[in-house]
Amino acid sequence: MANYDSRNHSNQYHQNNRRPRQEEPSVQVEVGQRFPLTIKRMGINGEGIGYYKRMAVFIPGALTGEEVVAEVTSVAQRFLRAKIHRIRLASPHRVEPRDSYADEVGGFELEHLAYPEQLKFKCDIVSQSLERYQPVGFKHFDLRPTLGMADPYGYRNKAQFQVRRNADGQIEAGLYAERSHDLVDLPTCSVQMPVVMTVMRAVVAMLQDLDMPIYDEEQGSGIVKTLVVRAAANTDDVQLVFITNSQKLPRKRELLERIAKELPQVTSVMQNVNPGKTSLVWGEETKHLAGAEAITEKLDGLSFKLSARAFLQLNPAQMEVLYAEAKKALDLQPGETVVDAYSGIGTIGLSLADVAEEVRGMDVIPEAVDDANANAEANGITNAHYEVGTAEDLLPKWIMTGFHPDAIVVDPPRTGLDDTLIDTILAVRPPKLVYVSCNPSTLAKDLVALVHDYHVDYIQSVDMMPQTARCEAVVKLTRRQ
């Protein structure tokens, strides 16, 4: 439940507030200083933005139009960070968060904002990102209202919680507090599917009862680092993964016996080995402990096998909305071929196979490619094939063999498209291009290059992560003549 892309605020501020260096305000401000502030707008991370003596002030939890007393928490050369000391005039759209820790950890940045206003905000951050990077013609792009959920809670199919032992010896599982490695225990979580939290808390209790060796980040000792629970919304499958500091998992037999007895809903238990201090949650080696090696999810009439490290959108209900929008934007016709770049387990590409003449896809994670090909076979799909590698490497090779796609769909990570892939797309120039984005900033940046050869028909934002500042979007692009 990582917080929204926190690419530094100073860059955002520089782009939107360019002025000669000598005119920049020189403001003497100290940490702890308080002053009244009116919130002018909300930034891409869901924070409120106001101005103190022409200096931008970023305040998590503040809403547009509110009047607050701000307390400075850090001072940078051209912007300040602050927290709300007191709200003098609250927004009519402010609501009480369901989660008491919503202002402590990432993943709940907007839980204090009424949901209809969250949807408006998400359309606005697409607009803000376009304003920042200014791809040609951006002021005339068709930005469609964000597609939201009827019930924006209990939707997350996966929890990835760090595990630590507190000063009292109690085992806790949760997320790090913002900008720290201080763990916030999450006994409840309103955005997770209930079964995910049931399994998570039961396993934490087992670890405590069995006195399992828990990872100590400072000492680099201990075994259990992270617990990952993923549930399939449309089957009864639940997978539990122990991410460990070593190959060992002491008291494994007793632990697995208790899981089998007390958590019959868990159909797959795995161990992922990720030794030492690292910023990466997952290691390269995954071991099978009990049950099946994968779980199965059903989406749009198709079955998908999910191995432990395979990527799947966190919101199954909205995933179907997102992929339906991608399918609509592609508007594939019988006989057309399509490339599914960043394919994951094949969720997008396989949904297109009933219309396409041929689907080819790629991903850099071998297990995901294995899953994608297995999913094609399991669903009786014979015109889809997936390979390990990057699109920028594989596409030119396919072109050399005479394969020329009529359409490409890209669903990149938050970093956006690789520059080489953009060059490859512009060289191949398929008539149809659909960009599924999980980061409006990198989408806007990538559009700067793409709009030279492609026309942006529309941008449809989709709320995949209610209560957060994150926003997905489907962009329909057609090749210029």
Side-chain angles (χ1 to χ4, degrees):
M1 207 180 301
N3 61 332
Y4 185 76
D5 181 21
S6 54
R7 255 166 265 268
N8 62 52
H9 293 120
S10 57
N11 284 347
Q12 177 192 1
Y13 177 63
H14 296 163
Q15 293 288 341
N16 294 336
N17 301 271
R18 296 174 185 272
R19 57 169 69 92
R21 181 176 292 273
Q22 63 269 23
E23 292 182 21
E24 286 172 356
S26 177
V27 182
Q28 297 301 312
V29 185
E30 296 180 350
V31 171
Q33 185 174 333
R34 295 173 185 167
F35 46 77
L37 196 72
T38 299
I39 305 304
K40 298 297 186 182
R41 61 187 177 88
M42 291 171 67
I44 59 172
N45 302 308
E47 72 284 80
I49 302 177
Y51 295 88
Y52 177 67
K53 298 183 179 178
R54 301 178 72 199
M55 199 174 209
V57 185
F58 297 93
I59 309 185
L63 300 176
T64 302
E66 290 191 326
E67 295 177 8
V68 305
V69 175
E71 181 176 323
V72 177
T73 56
S74 68
V75 180
Q77 186 176 358
R78 293 171 192 159
F79 66 95
L80 307 174
R81 294 189 196 280
K83 63 182 180 180
I84 298 173
H85 172 67
R86 180 165 57 89
I87 298 175
R88 300 170 67 180
L89 176 64
S91 165
H93 306 302
R94 177 174 285 277
V95 296
E96 189 66 28
R98 292 192 187 183
D99 298 289
S100 60
Y101 42 77
D103 60 348
E104 295 182 64
V105 298
F108 304 88
E109 299 91 333
L110 299 183
E111 205 176 6
H112 58 293
L113 178 62
Y115 190 57
E117 296 303 310
Q118 291 187 32
L119 298 181
K120 292 178 184 177
F121 163 78
K122 296 192 179 192
C123 194
D124 183 57
I125 61 173
V126 175
S127 180
Q128 282 190 48
S129 298
L130 293 171
E131 182 72 41
R132 175 182 172 187
Y133 287 99
Q134 302 194 352
V136 172
F138 77 96
K139 290 184 178 179
H140 304 292
F141 289 176
D142 177 8
L143 302 185
R144 301 188 172 179
T146 307
L147 300 175
M149 301 184 73
D151 179 9
Y153 289 95
Y155 63 86
R156 292 182 69 114
N157 58 11
K158 182 179 179 182
Q160 190 166 281
F161 285 179
Q162 307 302 315
V163 184
R164 298 293 183 267
R165 199 180 287 274
N166 67 19
D168 298 324
Q170 296 300 303
I171 295 174
E172 299 179 333
L175 302 172
Y176 292 131
E178 294 278 18
R179 306 180 192 284
S180 81
H181 267 218
D182 297 331
L183 192 74
V184 177
D185 189 40
L186 301 187
T188 63
C189 184
S190 69
V191 296
Q192 293 284 353
M193 289 171 56
V195 68
V196 168
M197 291 305 294
T198 297
V199 171
M200 179 67 72
R201 300 318 303 184
V203 173
V204 169
M206 292 176 195
L207 297 178
Q208 185 78 45
D209 290 347
L210 295 171
D211 196 25
M212 296 285 283
I214 303 303
Y215 181 65
D216 184 312
E217 195 170 26
E218 289 186 9
Q219 301 297 324
S221 60
I223 304 289
V224 181
K225 282 183 165 182
T226 307
L227 292 177
V228 182
V229 180
R230 175 154 63 180
N234 298 306
T235 69
D236 293 327
D237 287 354
V238 177
Q239 185 175 67
L240 168 64
V241 184
F242 295 92
I243 298 181
T244 60
N245 187 39
S246 74
Q247 297 271 356
K248 299 177 186 175
L249 186 58
R251 311 196 73 173
K252 179 170 67 175
R253 182 179 59 81
E254 296 162 87
L255 181 61
L256 293 176
E257 285 176 355
R258 285 196 59 175
I259 291 168
K261 181 180 179 181
E262 298 173 33
L263 295 171
Q265 62 270 60
V266 174
T267 56
S268 170
V269 185
M270 309 293 287
Q271 178 185 359
N272 178 265
V273 183
N274 187 21
K277 291 185 179 181
T278 170
S279 60
L280 301 176
V281 174
W282 293 85
E284 291 301 315
E285 181 185 2
T286 304
K287 301 165 66 175
H288 176 224
L289 299 184
E293 291 196 26
I295 60 175
T296 300
E297 179 63 288
K298 291 186 176 179
L299 299 163
D300 198 23
L302 299 174
S303 295
F304 292 95
K305 173 188 169 189
L306 297 170
S307 57
R309 291 178 63 206
F311 171 76
L312 185 73
Q313 296 281 357
L314 292 170
N315 187 333
Q318 287 294 88
M319 177 167 43
E320 295 199 2
V321 173
L322 184 76
Y323 292 166
E325 288 298 320
K327 197 170 183 176
K328 182 171 75 176
L330 271 174
D331 189 27
L332 280 182
Q333 300 301 309
E336 292 184 332
T337 57
V338 61
V339 167
D340 177 12
Y342 306 96
S343 59
I345 61 170
T347 42
I348 294 181
L350 296 180
S351 72
L352 303 168
D354 59 334
V355 177
E357 175 74 19
E358 183 182 3
V359 176
R360 295 193 187 189
M362 69 284 284
D363 201 284
V364 295
I365 298 177
E367 299 100 310
V369 172
D370 290 343
D371 286 351
N373 285 316
N375 289 332
E377 185 176 353
N379 287 287
I381 295 171
T382 58
N383 62 333
H385 173 70
Y386 293 86
E387 295 184 25
V388 178
T390 63
E392 50 269 28
D393 287 338
L394 290 174
L395 254 179
K397 293 179 183 176
W398 293 345
I399 299 295
M400 292 290 286
T401 63
F403 175 80
H404 293 275
D406 298 296
I408 294 179
V409 56
V410 294
D411 185 8
R414 297 187 55 71
T415 49
L417 298 178
D418 184 278
D419 288 343
T420 311
L421 177 54
I422 292 177
D423 292 341
T424 303
I425 291 171
L426 296 178
V428 174
R429 297 189 80 238
K432 299 176 180 179
L433 174 64
V434 167
Y435 190 137
V436 180
S437 166
C438 61
N439 184 347
S441 290
T442 52
L443 166 64
K445 178 174 69 71
D446 292 342
L447 286 177
V448 171
L450 292 173
V451 295
H452 292 297
D453 278 30
Y454 286 87
H455 176 263
V456 175
D457 292 20
Y458 62 79
I459 301 177
Q460 175 64 69
S461 48
V462 179
D463 187 16
M464 298 292 292
M465 308 252 315
Q467 318 311 327
T468 79
R470 296 179 70 162
C471 178
E472 309 261 338
V474 174
V475 188
K476 177 179 174 65
L477 301 108
T478 50
R479 187 178 66 194
R480 296 184 188 276
Q481 297 304 315

